[in-house]
Each structure stands twice: as structure tokens, then as C-alpha cells.
Amino acid sequence: MNETIQTILNHRSIRSFEDKKLTGEQIEVIVKSAQAASTSSFIQAYTIIGITDREKKEKLAELAGHQRYVAENGHLFVFCSDLHRHKLAAEIEGLETEDILTSIESTEMFMVSCIDAALAAQNAVIAAESMGLGICYIGGIRNNLHEVTKLLKTPDRVIPLFGLCVGYPAKAAAQKQRLPFENIYHQEAYVQDDEALKEQLKQYNHDIAAYYKERTGGKRADRWTEQIASKVSHPTRMYMKQFLQSKGLPLD
Amino acid sequence: MNETIQTILNHRSIRSFEDKKLTGEQIEVIVKSAQAASTSSFIQAYTIIGITDREKKEKLAELAGHQRYVAENGHLFVFCSDLHRHKLAAEIEGLETEDILTSIESTEMFMVSCIDAALAAQNAVIAAESMGLGICYIGGIRNNLHEVTKLLKTPDRVIPLFGLCVGYPAKAAAQKQRLPFENIYHQEAYVQDDEALKEQLKQYNHDIAAYYKERTGGKRADRWTEQIASKVSHPTRMYMKQFLQSKGLPLD
């Protein structure tokens, strides 16, 4: 197994960082790595915002659900879906805004921009981890995108999707076992056998419960399906559709 | 610069593969690398379908726009957004379907599943490339998802997002220069200066035109903004919203 695969398989999210900033060179390597990712039809539909301002980081930490590591890390990146750039490109080519809105405001284009941003982000993550840095994605910035977009001054059609804390790990972190291989990977077609899939999930529940028991000295023994059931029975961020519409993305 | 970062920065899409299948072991390493990626709240909202059946690959190549490399490669993966698994998890925990639909069918949850799938895919890509394999993403499978979902037998709330061809590169490929660093990366907040952003894009146009000139012996000199303007003035895959709705994802 080569070093790169070792880095990938060794991933764990880090939520406690040393008080040591990333250098400009490190940031450049991370962003260039992000940019090297594939992008649908070369549209490069994302923007990365780097935050170092302490007050801004504190505000983002608060908005993301009071997670200290959002404020305390080596560098905070925010990955945004960006379709504003394509409006500018069309303007450079002399097109009128109305000639491009059907395309730019579509569900398809928004999906592409989310995927583009995520591919770039994961390249950034692997580059950072290969340098001995730790990372944690911050989906919590989607708790309150009205405030986040104000803070980051993003124009219409630029949607902050997630944060990414990067820094020098201060505490080791455990690795959580993923879903069984055969639950994630299907051969030739989707396994249309819900009972078989459920059996796999039940087996997985034992593994996850064992992980929590060990990590908490027996205090917790969560099942994966229990966590998921709890999550999906409490809808969150239900303002998203309206928010996207308010930012010029009706997603028709 | 370490080997991992070299692998990342050396990426180029490969569209011509040797007639040599991936081994089971290679596929396992690639899928496990995908699974090692971060996932929002540990929901792991994706499924990977591996296709080796020749007829099925030919059909997918046809649906994706007659791209030969979709049929001719070492292995074809299809990455799907998967929220069906979470319905099963809720059932295991005794919840009724109606108790979870608001959450599972939301725009937020679909965004999360697209991002989860893309993070996993990019890990798969880096793992494959680190082993000397080449890759090409296939967004073209979204041209006709009605047919693709039939072929792959995906249930409701499982959406094939993109294919990923992997294999031994048969032809070298050139690397296209990405957008200027300062156009992708903003410090502290989004640069609210459209004229400055446009100037960067115009400079970038020169670089991209030079790339095409060299690659085509002077026959093409596309500007990036020209390609984008052409793309966004021809809306594609406008059925996406209705398709998602037809597959149990109203995205409210």
C-alpha cells in the first residue's frame, strides 16, 4: 500500500488543533491541490474563502453551533458553490443575463457546482493530511446561511456549502468504522433486497455500538440506525430551498 | 513536495484506456479509500455501483453521449446519492416512513448526499491515480437518468450522479490550466468587485487560448469565457428537478 493510500485510509476528523497558523505556502499548496481536481465541463464552479480574522472566525463558530475548532485552528476555509463567475463570463462574451439564467439557475447546474466544490475540497483535505495536518469539515455553517453570506459578502449564486478547518492536530482522534463494503458497493446494479440491506445494517450496528462502548468506557452504545433515525426524524435546515431561491437559484 | 501532492497536482483526465481489467484487490482499495472520506454527520449517503458487464457498459456509453471510454476502461464505477439506506435505517428503528420524509426529501439532505458522494469519489480518484491508474468522471450519465436508473435498478431516493472510468492510461493527456489562484481563492470575504474578477478571467482567456492553440496546431483558440458562455446559453438537463421529484425527492 503506497503512502497516498495510507494517508487516505488513515483519515479521521480532528477537532482540536495547536495554536499554530498555516503558512502562506501551505495554503497555496492546499488551494492548488483543490484546483487540480476534475471539474464538470471545466466550469470550475466553486470559490474558496480563507478566513484568518479572529472576530470573523468566532462569529462563524457561533453560527455553526458553537464549535470551538471553527475558531481555533491553523486556517479556516469555506468552500462555496459559485455560479456568479459564469454570469461574469457570459457578460464578457456580450450575452445578456436573461440569456443564461435558465441554465445557471437550474437544479442540474447547482448539483454540478456542489459536486465541483466537494471534489476540490477533498483534494485539499488529502493534500493537507499528507503534510501531517488534520482537518474537520463544518457542515454547521449551513445552519444559518443568511448570516454566513452576509459575513462572507458572497453575491447571489455563490452559496457557502461547508467550512474546512485545517491545522496541527492537538489530540489524537479515533477512526469510526464505515458501513460494510457490500452495503456501499453493489456489483452491476443496485441490490434490490431491502431485507438483505437491513441485515447488513444490523450487523454494522453491533460494530458501531462496540466502538462507542470502548470510546466512552461503556457509557454509550449507539447503533448507527439509531443515530440516523434520530437525525431524519428531526428535520433540519428546512429553509434551504427558500434560501437558495432568495439567492438567485430557483432550481427549476 | 510529497508524493501525494505530486499525484494530486499531476491529475489529468484520461479518455483512452488499455484493455486490462482492474483486479478485485484494486477495486477494494479504491472503494475503501472512497469510504474513508468524511461524511456529513456520519450519514454516508452514497452508494457505488461497479459495472463490468459489457452490454451494460455499452448502453451507459450510449446514454452518456457515445463516449467510447465509458465502455472501454479497466472498471466503471457509478457514484449515487443514496437516501434509501436512511429510510431502511429508520424502519429498523421502528419509525414510520411518514415520520422521516420531510427530512429525507429536503433540499438540504439532497445537497448533503451529493457532497458525500463527491468527497468519496475524489478519494477513490486519488487512490486510483496513486496506483498509476487514470480516471475520467462521466457527468454524461445525467443526460438520461430515467434510463440509467432502470439499467442500474436503483430504488427511489438513489440518484446516479456521475460515472467514474478507471483504468490503465493508453494515451498521455495534457493538463489544462485552472482559473487564476486569486479568482478561486478569496481572503476573508468574497471579492465584491466584478470588474476585477472579469480582468482575471480575461487574463485567463489568454492562457487557455494558448493551450488550445498549442494542442491543436493553431486550429482552435477557445477562450474560457467563450466556452462557458456557450454552455450557459444552451441549457441542458432541464428535466432534473422533475426527475428528482419523480424519484421521491421533491426537494422542499
Side-chain angles (χ1 to χ4, degrees), chain A residues 74-236:
Chain A
H75 201 71
L76 175 62
F77 297 91
V78 177
F79 281 77
C80 308
S81 148
D82 188 339
L83 295 165
H84 177 64
R85 185 180 293 123
H86 307 85
K87 184 171 161 283
L88 299 182
E91 283 171 14
I92 288 174
E93 296 295 328
L95 293 184
E96 297 294 330
T97 303
E98 52 263 40
D99 295 337
I100 60 162
L101 284 191
T102 311
S103 171
I104 279 193
E105 295 179 343
S106 66
T107 297
E108 156 71 11
M109 202 64 119
F110 183 61
M111 281 168 64
V112 162
S113 69
C114 289
I115 292 168
D116 258 23
L119 299 182
Q122 192 57 19
N123 259 13
V125 163
I126 301 301
E129 290 183 337
S130 79
M131 294 191 281
L133 299 165
I135 70 98
C136 188
Y137 279 101
I138 309 297
I141 67 161
R142 292 196 307 282
N143 290 347
N144 191 337
L145 282 175
H146 287 289
E147 288 299 319
V148 170
T149 49
K150 255 186 246 170
L151 201 65
L152 302 184
K153 300 189 172 139
T154 48
D156 277 1
R157 303 184 189 90
V158 176
I159 310 295
L161 296 176
F162 46 80
L164 181 68
C165 306
V166 181
Y168 292 87
K171 266 193 215 156
Q175 198 171 31
K176 253 192 283 187
Q177 190 180 325
R178 268 38 181 176
L179 280 163
F181 186 87
E182 62 273 20
N183 201 273
I184 283 282
Y185 184 71
H186 301 199
Q187 190 62 48
E188 307 303 339
Y190 200 92
V191 174
Q192 282 202 318
D193 182 345
D194 282 357
E195 291 315 310
L197 292 170
K198 279 184 186 177
E199 279 313 309
Q200 292 164 4
L201 295 182
K202 284 177 191 169
Q203 181 52 49
Y204 181 51
N205 276 341
H206 289 292
D207 301 337
I208 290 294
Y211 160 86
Y212 280 111
K213 263 188 204 159
E214 194 185 320
R215 209 185 74 172
T216 63
K219 281 185 204 146
R220 278 176 66 182
D222 305 27
R223 297 177 300 281
W224 186 74
T225 57
E226 179 186 5
Q227 293 182 342
I228 296 299
S230 166
K231 181 173 173 59
V232 295
S233 58
H234 297 92
T236 51

Side-chain angles (χ1 to χ4, degrees), chain B residues 136-194:
Chain B
C136 187
Y137 280 100
I138 310 296
I141 67 160
R142 291 195 308 280
N143 290 348
N144 191 338
L145 282 176
H146 287 288
E147 288 299 318
V148 170
T149 50
K150 257 187 244 168
L151 200 66
L152 303 183
K153 301 191 170 136
T154 47
D156 277 2
R157 304 186 188 89
V158 175
I159 310 295
L161 296 176
F162 47 79
L164 181 68
C165 306
V166 181
Y168 292 88
K171 266 193 215 155
Q175 199 171 31
K176 252 191 285 187
Q177 190 180 324
R178 268 43 182 171
L179 281 162
F181 187 87
E182 62 275 17
N183 200 274
I184 283 283
Y185 185 72
H186 302 196
Q187 190 62 49
E188 307 304 339
Y190 200 94
V191 174
Q192 284 202 315
D193 182 344
D194 283 355

